[in-house]
Amino acid sequence: MENKQSQKADPESTNTISFAPVVPIPDYLTGQVQSKLAYVDESILSAEVESDQIHLHLDASRLTPQVQSHLEEKVQRVVESMAKGAFKPKVQVLEDYMDREVPYTQDPMPELYSRNEVNQEDDGIYTLGPLLTKIIDYFESLFIDLADSFEADPYRFPTLIPAKELEKVNYFRAFPHSLSFVTHLREDLDVIDNFAQHAACDEHGLNAPDGSFDQVQSLLSPAVCYHLYFALADKPLPGGQVTATAVGKCFRYEAINLTSLERLWDFTMREVIFVGSKDFVLQNREIARQRMEKAFERIGLAYRVESANDPFFIGEFRKQAAFQSAFQLKYEIRASLPFKASTLAVGSYNYHQDFFGRHLNMTLPDGSPAHTGCVAFGLERIAYAFLAQYGFNKSNWPSEVQEVIK
Ligand code: ATP
Ligand code: ZN
Ligand code: MG
């Protein structure tokens, strides 16, 4: 994983410290440990993890002696819980089209800025212009074709998600670091008056009088398919199986890892969701993969599909990640980014076993918990990966894309 430099602090006020991890970090884990360091301390601007050295670039203005003494201990806690006793997951590659020839080798971001195709409102928050929007619409049409091929029922889900529902599916324990909370002012005229008079932003955000905000009842949704499971909870599955599709805004606070269009706080996912027996879910996940393989071939995308794990919080990481790879619960579609000789997940094929069925009491006709799975595509990422491979000269684009995007 590349080093992510925050633009918040000027280089004059940065400090770099380096030290050895308590246990060596195996190569296959360095990227995931590095991405977790974003959440270790507010003074960390960026981090580089090698198997025997950790380098931290720190914001000197936040670095009190107290912070510094605690910092290394917190980093080692991450290393220990992720790397100690970890074993290398067997990466299973289901498709490998990384050697497909593509015409572009540049980073698309500078060109996107110069064409006013992106406007960064804040870290991980972007407005997208007409070209990106048309490319997203094109890819969405492919994903909707996939959904139609399963006769998936269309749904529209809310952007907010209730805290009490996320709690039922263990989200606070698995992914606390990336949650985005929603609140509102307390319904009290004095509180509202006081806020109206004193609310003001500084460079870190909004300052409001203490006690202005109500308790959090709701969050911004981190995924799409949960909403379907909530709708199907506490009853037998209608017809014994459900296939659905929806597009929705998703929110994951990824701290200093929020870079370019690769990793957003506010992004969009299209999902095709299967709920039913184990065989129903696994067979359809596999059929979906094969259909997308044909679609990606038509447009000449360079990518591979390989087994992966979800980015569990540090404390849950080792056990959950090992479980996911052992049972092949997640495969990622990793598109090539030629300009940095690396890959980016543009989608995933997921199987949750009967996890949601058990926690939400969704039942099959025989009374046993339903199994679930989803195919999820990140729309901003697929458009970004397409431009990273095919560039801005439309005459170099695959003919099918040229025909649709004029
Ligand atoms: P990553 O490992 O890159 O963080 P993920 O495993 O968290 O990805 P999923 O939960 O499988 O991602 O989500 C499905 C898809 O949504 C991803 O393949 C990706 O295309 C997109 N996605 C996930 N997180 C982000 C993000 N922060 N910004 C933009 N797109 C994202
Ligand atoms: Zn899903
Ligand atoms: Mg993620």
Side-chain angles (χ1 to χ4, degrees), residues 222-223 251-252 254 258 261-269 271 308-311 330-334 344-350 376-382:
F251 302 83
R252 296 182 189 174
E254 308 221 24
L258 295 166
L261 296 187
E262 283 184 38
R263 197 166 286 284
L264 303 169
W265 188 357
D266 172 332
F267 63 99
T268 322
M269 227 193 261
E271 291 201 28
N309 60 263
D310 274 316
K330 184 179 178 95
Y331 293 99
E332 279 181 341
I333 306 162
R334 301 200 65 91
L344 178 68
V346 296
S348 57
Y349 301 106
N350 304 287
F377 303 100
L379 299 186
E380 294 82 359
R381 276 198 191 174
I382 191 115

